[in-house]
């Protein structure tokens, strides 16, 4: 203790002596705030690794939205929600939510000019709502930022810096499409600004549209597993009537009916005509090996869903007395997106709490009283896909953001301090309208008692108690599409509406300046306060809440919380201009947060910056972080979900088929020997398939706790003075997330139970006597830990100008050494790196050239090889490493690495215009099958990789 006191006194004396010797210095360089710190400084290289993309670099990529721009970085993984996830149903549909380090979009904090942007009730920020035409640059800090910015900055911070002002205007038009002619993208914007240093105003109008790509239009996406030679594995429930008897418990049984399917012409594309459905002789025994009796649902599904967005943005600034300035920003965006999937695979127990059978007194029942004879009829259990009306979901999202900041300067002695106070308001309101589902109340009446009246019209009810034609329309549901009438479909189909929204309001106050001069420079300090409130809701209509529709049932979500926060940051320059210490400084920061819904937390950060020589910068960071539970995590009402998975207990293609210990666990938990998982058509599966029975997912958890994280980084930046224009950077990073909040997937639940032997997850699965999973409960919880580490390498070089023009090279590479999770605090980690969505190596490189009015850019994207699962084992197909283990078990299909090249050429015209034309995936690299990508998609193709050569053009006109 005495020794520590002596050291403390010595340090204090040394600092005092250094301050006494310090001389006042001035600089004409402007101090700016760099993402990752609130202290204004001159150096753009800091102790925090920050990636910067300028407006010019963005336009050369041919990308349109901010989300596309961030998704293109080598440090991002697969986005949380993609346009290709046609089977994913959530309020985020149509938005863009990049996933830095692959840690999820909800662990990435998004700022605009240093201020929080809008968030959904699930904690996601839609980057597509930010107008790209007004962007000056995008800064991405990837070392965590909770000590400066608070919650959500575990993976890092994306700060979109808008132009401070504009003088004049610019109109821009962009069009692009795949070489096949689909996926048409458009972007039109008009921006204008006027003013001077005293006052300025600028606004922007923009309209962006991303066109649909249908799965049926390409051979590789036309089938769910991508292989026409494995056709049966692609097919689901057919569009013609399939019938069985009903047992005493209301389940399907052969009984005296058998398992029959209506005779029909045509094949698995739903074409053809059905026979008379009232005649029992017009049915044959159903055989799941007969492809013509099933349906290829990919024929009706989006591969990439379309969306469009229109936004208006206004920003103004005015100088006030006493060196003050008022800046305001307002943005309103209206986004519409839609998705289409195949008609509903209906059966009598689609909603087990509201079963629907074909009544024994129904006119169209081939085994009913009106066919078999009075008193001899029986109710029928039925299966039928309603391809006449594909399911569609239209999502309209309206986003509003308003902020105002009053800033100024304050002289404290000889020091000038900068202060600001601000108010932010962000609001999201939207609705989703779903069509193509069945109104089970009306369907029950349409399939209930009916008869042919005296006019020869089939009518609901009985001759003694007829139901007026205007109140009920009978449906010959077994007759298939050829027997369906518009009136019957209109009567039995449902339109459901869900409304949702969220509001975030915050008041902030910050002050930053210098407190003391040392020989190496001044000690910089920043401190501030923030008060933030958040509330949100998600309200299904009564049909969905009560399970009276085939649409996904759910309960409402309503919740709110508030948080009070304070932070302080200190930057201390220790040495400067000395041998092996051209610069040495340390930075420490800490933020205290007090949440109304779970309590308080303090998160701190320490970093250093050292220049042993002028050309070399060494930097490092240790940062604590946290992510507060979102409104949906805590207050979520939950909903049904038709999950896709491959049951580990399947005796032919599941883990049990090749891992004796898994087979033993399955048997011990009651799974019968020889069990086969079956799809909606009743066929044994060969790959991950959508379960015919809904799961219960997403229920909130009032006991959920915040995530905590630790981030470590060490890096180098080398800019050799003997090579002008060259800069090299190398940063090692390590992120550990504890107490992670996660929505457990169906596949994870089954893997944790049967493969990883975690008994708590086995209680969430219920099977029937055949072994089929008829109930699976999964929600949000604190789920063990997540750990990833790797290296970022950056290279920038501006070649000496020659008579052939100016060349420049940029290259960013991310190497992920590990990406792993564990399901509980005591479980073993499961490694995912090198699998789909978790590339070990990613590289983005670009070669720029300019000469006079001409310029060009050649970009390259590299993805290292990945280990995919083996989809077919009997016989072995697409399985080149059957004995290799991956996160989901045994059997790997290793896919090769991929390069994609992008080319653009631009020309500046004398009338202040610029024309750019380009092609992404210029060599038309074709996709390959990725079976782990197909769980929420129409196809076994990674929708984040190019499907085709994409050709685009942009015209900018300044005035």
């Amino acid at each position: 203790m005495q020794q520590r006191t002596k050291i403390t006194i010595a340090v204090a004396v040394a600092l005092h002596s250094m301050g006494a010797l310090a001389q006042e210095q001035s600089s004409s360089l402007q101090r700016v705030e760099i993402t990752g710190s609130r202290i204004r400084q001159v150096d753009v290289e800091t102790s925090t690794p920050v990636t910067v993309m300028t407006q010019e670099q963005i336009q050369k990529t041919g990308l349109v939205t901010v989300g596309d721009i961030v998704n293109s970085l080598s440090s991002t993984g697969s986005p949380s929600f993609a346009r290709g996830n046609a089977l994913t149903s959530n309020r985020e549909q149509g938005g863009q939510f990049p996933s830095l380090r692959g840690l999820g979009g909800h662990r990435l904090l998004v700022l605009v000019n240093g201020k929080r942007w809008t968030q959904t009730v699930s904690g996601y920020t839609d980057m597509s709502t930010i107008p790209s035409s007004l962007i000056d640059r995008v800064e991405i800090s990837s070392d965590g930022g909770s000590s400066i910015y608070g919650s959500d900055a575990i993976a890092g911070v994306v700060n979109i810096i808008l132009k401070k002002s504009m003088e004049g205007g610019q109109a821009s038009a962009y069009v692009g499409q795949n070489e096949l002619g689909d996926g048409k993208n458009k972007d039109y914007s008009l921006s204008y600004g006027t003013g001077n240093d005293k006052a300025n105003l600028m606004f922007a109008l923009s309209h962006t549209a991303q066109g649909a790509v249908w799965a049926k239009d390409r051979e590789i996406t036309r089938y769910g597993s991508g292989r026409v030679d494995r056709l049966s594995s692609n097919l689901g429930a057919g569009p013609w009537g399939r019938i069985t008897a009903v047992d005493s418990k209301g389940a399907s049984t052969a009984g005296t009916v058998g398992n029959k399917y209506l005779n029909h012409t045509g094949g698995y594309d739903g074409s053809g005509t059905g026979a008379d459905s009232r005649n029992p002789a017009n049915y044959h025994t159903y055989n799941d090996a007969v492809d013509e009796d099933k349906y290829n649902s990919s024929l009706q599904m989006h591969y990439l869903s379309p969306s469009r967005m229109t936004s208006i943005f206004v920003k103004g600034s005015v100088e006030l007395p006493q060196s003050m300035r008022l800046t305001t920003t307002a943005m309103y965006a209206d986004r519409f997106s839609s998705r289409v999937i195949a008609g509903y695979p209906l059966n009598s127990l689609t909603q087990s709490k509201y079963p629907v059978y074909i009544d024994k007194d129904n006119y169209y029942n081939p085994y009913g009283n009106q066919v078999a004879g009075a008193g001899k009829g029986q109710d029928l259990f039925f299966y039928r896909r309603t391809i006449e009306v594909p399911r569609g979901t239209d999502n309209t999202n309206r986003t509003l953001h308003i902020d105002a900041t009053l800033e100024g300067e304050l002289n404290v002695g000889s020091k000038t301090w900068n202060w600001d106070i601000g108010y932010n308001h962000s609001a999201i309101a939207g609705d989703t309208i779903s069509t193509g589902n069945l109104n089970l109340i009306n369907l029950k009446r349409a399939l209930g008692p009916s008869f042919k009246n005296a006019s020869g019209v089939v009518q609901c009810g009985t001759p003694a108690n007829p139901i007026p034609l205007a109140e009920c329309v009978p449906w010959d549901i077994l007759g298939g599409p050829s027997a369906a009438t518009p009136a019957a479909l209109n009567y039995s189909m449902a339109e459901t509406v869900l409304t949702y929204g969220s509001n975030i309001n915050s008041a902030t106050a910050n002050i930053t300046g210098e407190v003391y001069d040392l020989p190496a420079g001044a000690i910089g300090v920043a401190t501030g306060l923030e008060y933030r409130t958040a509330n949100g809701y998600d309200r299904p209509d009564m049909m969905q809440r009560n399970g009276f529709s085939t649409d996904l049932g759910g309960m409402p979500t309503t919740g709110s919380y508030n948080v009070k926060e304070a932070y302080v940051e200190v930057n201390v320059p220790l040495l400067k201009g000395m041998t092996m210490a051209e610069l040495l400084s340390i930075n420490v920061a800490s933020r205290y947060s007090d949440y109304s819904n779970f309590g308080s937390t303090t998160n701190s950060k320490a970093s250093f910056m050292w220049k042993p020589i002028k050309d070399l910068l060494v930097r490092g960071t240790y940062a604590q972080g946290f992510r507060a539970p979102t409104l949906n995590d805590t207050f979520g009402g939950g909903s049904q979900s038709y999950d896709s998975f491959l049951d580990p207990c399947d005796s032919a293609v599941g883990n049990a088929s090749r891992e004796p210990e898994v087979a033993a666990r399955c048997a011990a938990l009651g799974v019968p020997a020889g069990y086969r998982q079956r799809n909606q058509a009743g066929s044994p599966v060969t790959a991950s398939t959508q379960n015919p029975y809904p799961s219960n997912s997403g229920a909130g958890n009032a006991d959920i706790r915040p995530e905590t994280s630790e981030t470590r980084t060490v890096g180098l930046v080398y800019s050799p003075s003997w090579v002008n224009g060259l800069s090299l950077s190398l940063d090692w990073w390590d992120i550990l997330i504890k107490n992670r909040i996660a929505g457990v997937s169906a596949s994870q639940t089954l893997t944790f139970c049967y493969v990883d032997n975690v008994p708590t997850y086995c209680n969430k699965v219920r099977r029937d006597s055949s072994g089929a999973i008829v109930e699976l409960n999964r929600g949000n919880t604190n789920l063990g830990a997540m750990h990833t580490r790797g290296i970022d390498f950056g290279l920038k070089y501006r070649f000496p100008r020659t008579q052939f023009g100016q060349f420049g090279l940029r290259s960013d590479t991310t190497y992920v050494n590990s990406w792993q999770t564990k399901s509980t605090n005591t479980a073993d980690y499961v490694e995912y790196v090198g699998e789909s969505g978790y590339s070990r190596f990613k590289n983005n490189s670009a070669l720029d050239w300019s000469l006079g009015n001409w310029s060009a850019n050649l970009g390259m994207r590299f993805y290292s090889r990945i280990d995919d699962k083996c989809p077919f084992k009997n016989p072995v197909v697409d399985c080149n490493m059957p004995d290799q283990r991956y996160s989901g078990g045994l059997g790997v299909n290793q896919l090769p690495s991929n390069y994609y090249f992008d080319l653009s050429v631009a020309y500046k015209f004398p009338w202040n215009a610029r024309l750019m034309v380009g092609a992404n995936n210029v060599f038309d690299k074709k996709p390959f099958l990725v079976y782990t990508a197909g769980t929420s998609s129409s196809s076994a193709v990674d929708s984040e990789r190019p499907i085709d050569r994409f050709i685009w053009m942009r015209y900018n006109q300044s005035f």
Side-chain angles (χ1 to χ4, degrees), residues 234-570:
N234 301 301
L235 305 180
W240 314 100
R242 175 184 164 200
I243 53 176
T244 70
V246 184
D247 70 12
S248 60
K249 296 182 180 179
S252 171
T253 184
T256 58
V257 176
N259 185 2
K260 300 292 184 64
Y261 197 85
L262 183 69
N263 296 337
H264 62 92
T265 60
Y268 58 81
D269 60 355
S271 62
T273 303
D276 177 10
S277 65
R278 295 187 77 230
N279 187 349
N282 287 336
Y283 290 79
H284 60 272
T285 299
Y286 179 72
N287 183 344
D288 58 40
V290 178
D291 294 338
E292 288 74 15
D293 287 347
K294 294 184 287 187
Y295 184 71
N296 180 10
S297 58
S298 294
L299 297 176
Q300 288 188 321
M301 296 177 67
H302 279 144
Y303 171 70
L304 294 178
S305 300
S307 66
R308 64 176 184 267
M309 188 189 72
T310 302
S311 67
I312 181 170
F313 187 94
V314 181
K315 180 184 178 184
S317 179
V318 60
E319 188 176 288
L320 301 175
Q322 304 299 318
S323 300
M324 294 189 297
R325 178 174 288 273
L326 176 65
T327 301
T328 61
T329 301
M331 183 280 299
Y332 176 78
D334 186 288
R335 188 192 75 220
F336 175 84
S337 58
S338 64
R339 67 184 181 99
V340 176
I341 59 177
Y344 200 89
L346 183 65
N347 69 68
S348 291
L349 290 179
T350 291
Q351 291 285 8
S352 59
K353 296 180 181 179
Y354 196 84
V356 178
Y357 306 100
I358 301 177
D359 193 273
K360 61 180 177 294
D361 287 319
N362 184 272
Y363 175 79
Y364 296 109
N365 185 337
Y367 290 83
N369 286 322
Q370 298 178 52
V371 176
K376 299 180 180 179
Q378 58 180 303
D379 294 342
L380 293 181
F381 193 107
F382 74 94
Y383 303 81
R384 157 88 146 84
R385 184 185 290 275
T386 56
I387 68 170
E388 303 95 310
V389 186
R391 285 168 287 170
T393 303
D394 294 336
N395 186 353
T396 302
N397 179 292
R398 297 168 291 276
T399 301
L400 174 68
H401 176 89
I402 300 173
D403 67 62
T405 302
L406 181 66
E407 57 186 347
E409 295 180 351
L410 179 66
N411 293 321
V412 180
S414 60
K415 304 295 184 183
T416 299
W417 286 61
N418 299 98
W419 59 267
D420 66 76
I421 56 175
Y423 174 77
N424 294 353
H425 170 73
S426 295
I428 294 173
D431 55 71
T432 62
I433 299 176
S434 299
T435 57
N437 285 286
L438 282 299
N439 180 331
L440 295 179
I441 297 174
N442 285 4
L443 181 66
K444 196 163 193 171
R445 299 181 76 191
L447 303 185
S450 59
F451 67 101
K452 182 175 284 190
N453 63 23
S455 301
V457 177
V458 180
Q459 184 173 352
C460 294
T462 64
N465 294 291
I467 299 174
L469 294 173
E471 296 180 11
C472 179
V473 181
W475 185 7
D476 181 9
I477 196 167
L478 300 179
S482 59
T485 65
L489 292 172
N490 290 338
Y491 177 72
S492 295
M493 288 293 167
E495 179 178 282
T496 56
V497 180
L498 180 147
T499 58
Y500 62 91
S502 62
N503 290 275
I504 298 176
N505 294 283
S506 63
T508 60
N510 302 284
I511 187 168
T512 178
E514 298 172 348
V515 295
Y516 196 71
D517 286 328
L518 300 176
I523 298 175
V525 174
T527 187
L529 302 171
E530 180 172 357
Y531 176 74
R532 188 167 68 253
T533 64
N535 63 76
Y537 61 90
D538 190 290
R539 302 185 183 119
D541 65 14
M542 295 307 296
M543 289 282 288
Q544 293 169 298
R545 295 187 202 184
N546 294 320
F548 293 147
S549 163
T550 58
D551 202 359
L552 301 176
M555 298 302 293
T557 295
T558 304
S560 64
Y561 66 82
N562 65 70
V563 56
K564 307 176 187 73
E565 297 183 290
Y567 77 92
V568 63
E569 179 187 6
V570 180

Side-chain angles (χ1 to χ4, degrees), residues 197-217:
D197 292 340
K198 302 278 185 187
N200 57 74
L201 178 70
M202 61 179 180
F203 80 94
L205 289 170
S206 65
H207 175 77
T208 302
Q210 295 181 299
V213 176
W214 290 89
K216 62 183 174 62
D217 291 336

Side-chain angles (χ1 to χ4, degrees), residues 496-724:
T496 56
V497 180
L498 180 147
T499 58
Y500 62 91
S502 62
N503 290 275
I504 298 176
N505 294 283
S506 63
T508 60
N510 302 284
I511 187 168
T512 178
E514 298 172 348
V515 295
Y516 196 71
D517 286 328
L518 300 176
I523 298 175
V525 174
T527 187
L529 302 171
E530 180 172 357
Y531 176 74
R532 188 167 68 253
T533 64
N535 63 76
Y537 61 90
D538 190 290
R539 302 185 183 119
D541 65 14
M542 295 307 296
M543 289 282 288
Q544 293 169 298
R545 295 187 202 184
N546 294 320
F548 293 147
S549 163
T550 58
D551 202 359
L552 301 176
M555 298 302 293
T557 295
T558 304
S560 64
Y561 66 82
N562 65 70
V563 56
K564 307 176 187 73
E565 297 183 290
Y567 77 92
V568 63
E569 179 187 6
V570 180
N571 189 75
V572 181
L574 299 177
L575 300 172
K576 185 176 182 180
M578 302 178 66
T579 302
M580 292 301 293
E582 285 292 330
L583 173 68
L584 176 62
S585 66
I586 59 172
N587 181 288
V588 293
S590 188
R591 189 179 185 101
Y592 171 79
S593 304
D594 183 10
Y595 278 77
S596 62
N597 56 336
F598 69 81
S600 62
T601 178
T602 301
N603 296 274
S604 302
K605 173 181 175 179
S607 60
F608 73 91
M609 186 166 61
W610 172 43
K611 283 188 174 183
I613 57 176
K614 289 183 178 181
D615 296 352
L616 179 64
L617 168 67
V618 182
R619 59 192 178 192
T621 301
Y622 170 80
Q624 297 172 329
F626 85 106
R627 184 173 77 86
T630 67
L631 293 169
N632 195 57
D633 290 334
T634 305
F635 306 104
S639 65
Q640 288 181 324
S641 173
Y642 280 90
D643 294 322
S644 294
F645 54 80
L646 179 61
D647 193 338
C649 294
D650 188 290
S651 62
V653 294
N655 297 74
S657 67
R658 56 193 181 277
E659 299 176 54
E661 65 276 15
V662 175
R665 290 186 199 114
C666 294
L669 291 168
V671 180
Y675 157 73
R676 292 303 314 278
Q677 179 186 354
R678 295 183 180 272
N679 61 18
Q680 298 157 348
S683 305
V685 306
T686 55
S688 179
T689 304
Q690 191 178 68
N691 197 38
Y693 301 94
S695 303
N696 300 312
S697 66
N701 183 350
D703 297 323
I704 209 163
R705 306 300 299 167
E707 293 180 343
T708 61
S709 69
E710 295 180 1
T711 300
R712 298 171 175 83
T713 69
V714 177
L716 308 170
V717 180
Y718 182 51
S719 303
S721 55
W722 48 275
V723 183
N724 288 331

Side-chain angles (χ1 to χ4, degrees), residues 727-806:
S727 177
L728 303 170
S729 64
L730 181 69
D731 289 284
W732 171 86
W733 46 269
D734 183 292
I735 304 172
L736 172 63
I737 300 173
K738 298 178 180 179
N739 220 30
R740 70 171 182 138
I741 301 170
V744 187
S745 72
S747 293
Q748 286 175 316
T749 301
L750 298 174
T751 299
F752 292 155
C753 170
Y754 299 105
V755 179
D756 298 338
N757 195 24
V758 183
T760 54
Y761 289 94
C762 301
N763 299 329
K764 302 179 185 297
V765 181
R766 184 172 69 85
R767 298 175 183 266
D768 64 14
S769 58
S770 72
I773 295 173
V774 295
E775 184 177 328
L776 191 151
N777 296 296
R778 57 186 185 86
N780 301 320
T781 187
N782 293 110
L783 192 68
M786 179 184 292
H787 190 197
T788 182
R789 59 182 179 271
I791 295 172
D792 292 333
F793 174 72
L795 181 152
K796 297 178 183 178
Y797 182 51
R798 186 174 178 84
F799 293 85
R801 182 179 294 276
T802 70
Q803 60 178 329
F804 303 107
Q806 177 71 64

